[in-house]
Amino acid sequence: MLLAENIQVGYGSKIVIQELNLTIAPGQITTFIGANGCGKSTLLRTLARLLKPTAGTVLLDGRDIFKRSTREVAKQLALLPQTPYAPPEVTVRQLVRLGRYPHGRWLGGWSDRDEQAVQEALAAMKLTDLADQPVDTLSGGQRQRAWIAMTLAQETDLLLLDEPTTYLDLSHQLDILDILRELNRRHHKTIVMVLHDLNLAARYSDVMVAVHQGTVYTQGKPEKVMTPETIRAIFDVECVVIPDPVAGTPLCIPIATRNHEVGEDAGRTQEPAQARHALELAR
């Protein structure tokens, strides 16, 4: 279990997260949503032990994560940052092998278990045929699968991902999210991620956490969090929420920003009066 207790996090004198409490339940997919700059990525980095809170604490299985060694934490928790970087000419196999670093032994060298973990991770991500290809020659979706394979080789029960679908087209977004759901359902991985697409977040999450102004505005099942009231509060957008005709999860249809006025933006597809009328009809 991963637990944040009354944490405050900042960069220099700027406080980004304040008095935030959060429990990540084991065995579920939890997704952070919220406006740009609200603290989603900062929260994820704090949970991953990359940022130390100025107040409060983060507990991993009941122990202060910042009082444990990096290697020890890395055996339980893996992080895929927003824009991971691999040096040129590093192959997929070499990248995935890096996931075994926390399990290294001073004198033991590369073990059969290390090799098996790498092969299993490559197979799980359908990368066996690309194992000797440089990472920087892959497509965006293949590259993301290579990074996920590295975290799988790390063999942790907890996987944190910061915007894993950024820069991917719709097909590759669905591919990555399907993989993450399979890792959760079949391999019992606890997954915590940041997503900007609200409808995909609702479709693929067990729990959604709406972050607003550095704290948790609300959290719970998608149908509890994805409401017009919550979207209005954290994004300042009027919307209609209907059942997704495919998944049955909440589907957000944005109408207009609440502060938009006639003539402010000629590129809008709807003027405020039309947006308000549509909103009233939906209600």
Side-chain angles (χ1 to χ4, degrees), residues 143-163:
R143 192 178 302 123
Q144 196 71 325
R145 283 193 281 128
W147 284 104
I148 294 175
M150 185 191 75
T151 65
L152 291 184
Q154 197 170 326
E155 291 191 304
T156 66
D157 292 327
L158 181 58
L159 179 57
L160 279 60
L161 307 101
D162 193 357
E163 299 186 33

Side-chain angles (χ1 to χ4, degrees), residues 188-235:
H188 312 295
K189 300 282 186 182
T190 299
I191 294 175
V192 185
M193 59 183 171
V194 174
L195 287 182
H196 276 293
D197 190 309
L198 299 180
N199 295 326
L200 289 180
R203 180 180 290 190
Y204 284 90
S205 304
D206 298 304
V207 175
M208 294 176 69
V209 179
V211 182
H212 182 55
Q213 296 181 350
T215 193
V216 174
Y217 180 82
T218 187
Q219 62 182 303
K221 294 182 178 181
E223 54 266 30
K224 175 187 174 184
V225 175
M226 276 272 283
T227 66
E229 293 75 22
T230 297
I231 302 305
R232 184 183 306 116
I234 66 175
F235 293 104

